Amino acid sequence: MPAQVVPIVRQLKDLRRKVANWRRGDDTIALVPTMGALHEGHLGLVKLAKKKASRAIVSLFVNPTQFAPHEDLSRYPRDEHGDRMKLAGAGADLVWAPAVEEMYPAGFATNIVPKGAAIGLEGEFRPHHFGGVATVCCKLFSQVTPDIAVFGEKDFQQFAVIRQMVRDLNLPLKIIAMPTVRERDGLALSSRNAYLSPEERAIAPALNRALKGVAAVVAAGGSAAKARETAKREVLRAGFTSVDYIEVRDAETLGPYDGKAGRPGRVLAAAWLGKTRLIDNVAL
Ligand code: AMP
């Protein structure tokens, strides 16, 4: 017996027909945007989506505009059939997998340029990244017309950028975040973990350990600057190749953190392990 897979649509007209049918039946719709190569973190988003809405649509689209020319677009892992089997197990109702030409037809010339939460951190090291992410998410929201969309805290700045875009542009949907799903040793699940050699995989949890160290020091009233330096040293000593940033930020604006004002804080980091760039973040 063939393994069960979730139905897939690749053309906007088919997606719209499906969504219109569901709407006529009073269904509510949740969207989970992904780039595929799905793991338990993504499946957690789908399960949450199914709790919040009667239908869950998962988009599988490796969005070229959020990768810089030197980044890993061409080697980004892809496994559409495997993804559709996993999604059947998680209760998804439909996969939306447009081709690049369907998403960006010839003559495409409109882009969202997010500022605010998009400035600094990933925005500094990947200057066009959030423009690509915001534009494709805006398009996904217009295509799917979901009541809610679910994002992972794993990409905390992305979540903040999308929440800000939805607020700023009065987009008619609610954005929901889900906590990061981790391996037992603390490593955040990521499609990019597939790039790690066994040696690198053993080193990788040091990033999360270091972030938890910063959070503990700052929560106890210690110096964020010193804690960040210590964390950076620890990560490099563990075997990471270089650190792009380890920062303490306001969890809502992603601007400077002011612990005395009782604001929520977040510790965010990106670091290279060989040729693989890992990101992670923890709450203060
Ligand atoms: P991606 O396809 O990896 O770019 O991510 C698609 C969605 O899954 C984003 O909202 C991510 O934040 C979320 N996600 C990725 N990894 C995890 C994880 N380990 N835990 C929770 N959410 C995740």
Side-chain angles (χ1 to χ4, degrees), residues 33-35 39 41-42 45 76 151-152 154-155 158 179-181 189:
T34 82
M35 298 203 300
H39 51 63
H42 300 118
L45 302 185
Y76 197 84
F151 287 81
K154 158 79 182 11
D155 300 273
Q158 167 174 281
T180 303
V181 178
L189 298 192

Side-chain angles (χ1 to χ4, degrees), residues 9 19 38-39 46 56 105 108 116 138 167 170 197 206 212 216 219 242-243 268 273:
V9 286
V19 169
L38 301 181
H39 51 63
V46 177
F108 182 87
C138 190
R167 200 171 48 221
N170 308 110
S197 69
K212 287 202 288 208
S242 63
V243 175
L268 306 102
L273 188 42

Side-chain angles (χ1 to χ4, degrees), residues 37-210:
L38 301 181
H39 51 63
E40 284 299 324
H42 300 118
L43 301 183
L45 302 185
V46 177
K47 287 174 193 157
L48 179 59
K50 278 297 275 195
K51 285 202 189 114
K52 302 275 178 189
S54 56
R55 301 287 182 179
I57 299 181
V58 178
S59 58
L60 297 185
F61 183 65
V62 183
N63 177 36
T65 69
Q66 69 190 65
F67 290 78
H70 62 276
E71 291 179 344
D72 57 347
L73 172 63
S74 61
R75 70 169 184 144
Y76 197 84
R78 292 165 207 244
D79 178 17
E80 187 183 276
H81 187 74
D83 288 346
R84 290 174 66 192
M85 291 205 302
K86 290 177 192 161
L87 288 171
D93 294 281
L94 187 69
V95 167
W96 166 225
V100 173
E101 301 73 35
E102 180 79 0
M103 188 63 96
Y104 302 113
F108 182 87
T110 304
N111 285 290
I112 304 241
V113 183
K115 302 216 169 101
I119 292 173
L121 307 171
E122 291 300 288
E124 181 183 341
F125 289 88
R126 306 181 69 191
H128 301 291
H129 177 66
F130 286 125
V133 168
T135 303
V136 82
C137 284
C138 190
K139 283 188 61 96
L140 288 168
F141 297 162
S142 316
Q143 293 164 341
V144 175
T145 64
D147 301 284
I148 65 167
V150 188
F151 287 81
E153 287 185 351
K154 158 79 182 11
D155 300 273
F156 195 81
Q157 191 176 12
Q158 167 174 281
F159 158 64
V161 168
I162 298 301
R163 185 177 52 184
Q164 172 189 278
M165 174 180 77
V166 165
R167 200 171 48 221
D168 290 351
L169 302 183
N170 308 110
L171 302 181
L173 77 160
K174 195 168 162 207
I175 301 299
I176 294 178
M178 202 192 79
T180 303
V181 178
R182 300 180 180 281
E183 303 280 7
R184 290 171 92 105
D185 59 11
L187 176 65
L189 298 192
S190 165
S191 310
R192 291 189 167 97
N193 293 351
Y195 301 153
L196 299 174
S197 69
E199 295 73 30
E200 290 169 339
R201 173 63 189 82
I203 295 166
L207 186 60
N208 182 246
R209 274 201 303 277

